[in-house]
Amino acid sequence: MRFETLAVHAGHWVDDETGAVTPSISLSTTFRRETDGTYPHGFIYSRTDNPNRTALESCLAALDGGEAAAAFASGQAATMSLFQALAPGDHVIAPNDAYYGTAKLLRDVFAAWGLEHSLVDMTDLVAVERALRPNTRLVWVESPSNPLLRITDIAAVAGLAHGAGAFVACDNTWATPALSRPIELGADFVMHATTKYLGGHSDVLGGALVARREGDALFERVRLLQRTGGAVAAPFDCWLVMRGVRTLPYRMRAQSAGAMAVATFLSTHPKVEAVHYPGLPTHAGHEIAVRQMSRFGGMLSLQVPGGREAAMGVAARCTLFTRATSLGGPESLIEHRASNEPPDTRTPQNLLRVSVGLEHPDDLIEDLDRALSGVAVA
Ligand SMILES: *Cc1c(COP(=O)(O)O)cnc(C)c1O
């Protein structure tokens, strides 16, 4: 099946009892045993397995070309389960511009637990190779990255990591399986904040880990942590993500086209210092993006002359863009990213991150043009 067809059908079925075309939400926490003590439907207790979660997991595994998936209550819970599946004394390599929640977990939670980590420039393969140690168990990749939209060569990093006996996980939240499938490029695990494009409507928090191989010892531990730790996605949340996924390919197409139009407009605007969008031929990662993505996604960032105040001013003058963090919904968002990150952030103070929604791109361009017209150019 092609991706659009999978997005509509994977994990969905028509209910034989009622004929319902849309799955119902199974709120029951517990499931009946037969007189012989068996569970004929495979469900015992909702923390261990739930029909909506099982459906979502099979859907997400299919979309990313993996054998299995584990769904969690948030993207962070999914990331955390993979780190927890490692052992104290293991070493993790992650990008120096990783999603700040990922870096925060490594630094503020898992360092004390004995998990070692190095943050490197993932676009520099020599730096990745140098960071590999005998105890490196996991290389964490994120592409495009946040907020500079840097592109990592997933296949090349996977080659280096596997050569050193390490697993590779890719945070595929921004690209989604509609645009990039890291497992096909060599990754062993794909992580999603389903909160973003997969849910797609800014109304559900969730996460998932997709595994290349179901029986991997590391994924077995993730499963154990999911079922025993209990940071599982709730039935309604699973249902919302499944609903979102059905339109994912078409939303990603429209949001990529919108972001390309906005980035192209900004790239020649006199009040814009820099635009970061992998679809622009001038972007440093453009060639790799062309190879490993089918489109370039709905996220971009821009830098304006004049620093933090100028950037805040542009965000304040936007009327169509909502000033808010997060991404992937139908409404366009604009965010002064540095002020939502810790004080030691690497994010430039004059940077605005934009999540392009499903509005007409010309309306978005007009709104940005108006907001930028107030920027003083030195
Ligand atoms: C939002 C996000 C996360 C974390 O997901 P939550 O659902 O907020 O826990 C991780 N990685 C990326 C790239 C994200 O955008």
Side-chain angles (χ1 to χ4, degrees), residues 42-54:
F43 298 104
I44 300 170
Y45 181 63
S46 207
R47 165 157 48 73
T48 324
D49 269 310
N50 166 281
N52 296 99
R53 202 167 90 222
T54 303

Side-chain angles (χ1 to χ4, degrees), residues 9 89 141 161 168 187 235 243 271-272 286 289 317 337 343 366 377:
H9 291 287
V141 178
V168 176
R243 161 197 268 217
K271 306 247 170 117
V272 174
H286 180 69
R317 284 189 296 275
R337 186 70 200 158
E366 284 168 23
V377 176

Side-chain angles (χ1 to χ4, degrees), residues 222-294:
V222 166
R223 214 23 125 201
L224 171 77
L225 288 158
Q226 178 203 30
R227 290 178 169 154
T228 311
V232 293
F236 183 44
D237 293 359
C238 294
W239 187 93
L240 282 172
V241 175
M242 289 278 286
R243 161 197 268 217
V245 161
R246 299 191 112 174
T247 55
L248 174 73
Y250 294 93
R251 287 186 285 109
M252 290 313 287
R253 231 171 262 188
Q255 278 165 291
S256 296
M260 182 64 111
V262 170
T264 304
F265 161 76
L266 293 174
S267 68
T268 58
H269 198 287
K271 306 247 170 117
V272 174
E273 206 174 83
V275 190
H276 308 282
Y277 185 65
L280 294 176
T282 49
H283 186 277
H286 180 69
E287 269 171 48
I288 300 166
V290 168
R291 260 190 280 134
Q292 69 185 25
M293 300 174 81
S294 57

Side-chain angles (χ1 to χ4, degrees), residues 35 55 59 62 67 167 181 228 246 262 276 281 302:
T35 49
C59 168
E67 285 182 3
F167 289 98
R181 277 179 291 280
T228 311
R246 299 191 112 174
V262 170
H276 308 282
L302 64 144

Side-chain angles (χ1 to χ4, degrees), residues 3-10 12 59-60 63 175-179 194 196-203 239-256 295 328-330 357-358:
F3 190 78
E4 291 79 355
T5 314
L6 270 181
V8 171
H9 291 287
H12 284 268
C59 168
L60 296 181
L63 295 188
T176 83
L179 307 185
T194 55
K196 314 293 170 52
Y197 289 105
L198 299 188
H201 295 77
S202 314
D203 55 11
W239 187 93
L240 282 172
V241 175
M242 289 278 286
R243 161 197 268 217
V245 161
R246 299 191 112 174
T247 55
L248 174 73
Y250 294 93
R251 287 186 285 109
M252 290 313 287
R253 231 171 262 188
Q255 278 165 291
S256 296
R295 290 167 217 275
L358 289 166

Side-chain angles (χ1 to χ4, degrees), residues 74-76 99 142 171 173-174 191 193 195-196 205-206 327:
S74 70
Q76 285 290 87
Y99 172 70
E142 185 182 329
D171 182 338
T173 299
W174 281 27
M191 177 271 177
T195 312
K196 314 293 170 52
L205 197 69
L327 55 125

Side-chain angles (χ1 to χ4, degrees), residues 4 33 42 44 46 65 80 105 127 134 140 147 175 177 238 257 283 327 336 346 354:
E4 291 79 355
R33 285 176 96 157
I44 300 170
S46 207
M80 188 149 149
L105 279 177
W140 184 271
C238 294
H283 186 277
L327 55 125
H336 183 254
R346 301 162 51 93
V354 171

